[in-house]
Amino acid sequence: QIRLKDSGGGLVQFGGSLRLSCTASGNLGSITAIGWYRQAPGKQRELVVSSNGVRTRYADSVKGRFTFSTDSTAKNTGQNTVYLQMNSLKPEDTAVYYCNAEAYNGDKYQTQGTQVTVSS
C-alpha cells in the first residue's frame, strides 16, 4: 500500500513559477515510478513527468520549463517527497495536477489533485 499526499498548486501569472510536492509513504520499496499527470477542462489526461529513479521522462510541452526532483535528505524516514518545479508557466499549463505512483505489482496510486491556474 502506498499513500500519496500532494500540495503546492495555486494561481500564478503568465511566466511565473510554482512548485508542486508529493509525499509518498507506506511500502516505498514497491514504487517503480512516480510523477505527475494533469488534466485540463475538456481535455484528456496527459503525462507531465514520470521518473523510475534512473530515467525521468517529460512531456514535450514542459521540457526545459519543468524540473522533477527528489528529496535526497529523507532517507530512512518512511517517506519520500518528490517535487515538480514549474517555471515559465503558460495559460495552457492550467490544469489539475495529479501525483501518480506505480507499484511493481501493477497497482497505481493517485492523489485527488491540486489545481494550477496560470493567468494571462
Side-chain angles (χ1 to χ4, degrees):
Q1 182 76 16
I2 298 168
R3 293 175 294 278
L4 301 174
K5 183 177 180 181
D6 60 1
S7 64
L11 172 64
V12 66
Q13 289 186 333
F14 176 84
S17 298
L18 283 173
R19 189 177 77 161
L20 304 183
S21 302
C22 180
T23 298
S25 60
N27 190 5
L28 299 179
S30 69
I31 296 176
T32 56
I34 191 166
W36 275 268
Y37 284 81
R38 68 184 180 185
Q39 187 164 20
K43 294 187 178 181
Q44 290 188 334
R45 192 175 83 151
E46 65 169 338
L47 175 69
V48 178
V49 62
S50 180
S51 177
N52 62 5
V54 176
R55 178 172 173 248
T56 300
R57 295 184 294 136
Y58 294 93
D60 288 342
S61 59
V62 306
K63 283 181 181 177
R65 300 188 298 121
F66 290 13
T67 304
F68 176 91
S69 63
T70 299
D71 182 0
S72 61
T73 65
K75 294 181 180 178
N76 301 319
T77 63
Q79 293 182 335
N80 183 29
T81 299
V82 295
Y83 304 96
L84 183 63
Q85 178 66 42
M86 305 185 295
N87 298 329
S88 301
L89 283 162
K90 306 174 182 179
E92 50 263 45
D93 294 317
T94 296
V96 178
Y97 285 68
Y98 301 90
C99 180
N100 176 277
E102 296 181 26
Y104 67 83
N105 64 357
D107 287 348
K108 296 183 178 181
Y109 302 85
Q110 180 176 286
T111 60
Q112 291 187 336
T114 186
Q115 177 71 45
V116 172
T117 302
V118 184
S119 62
S120 57

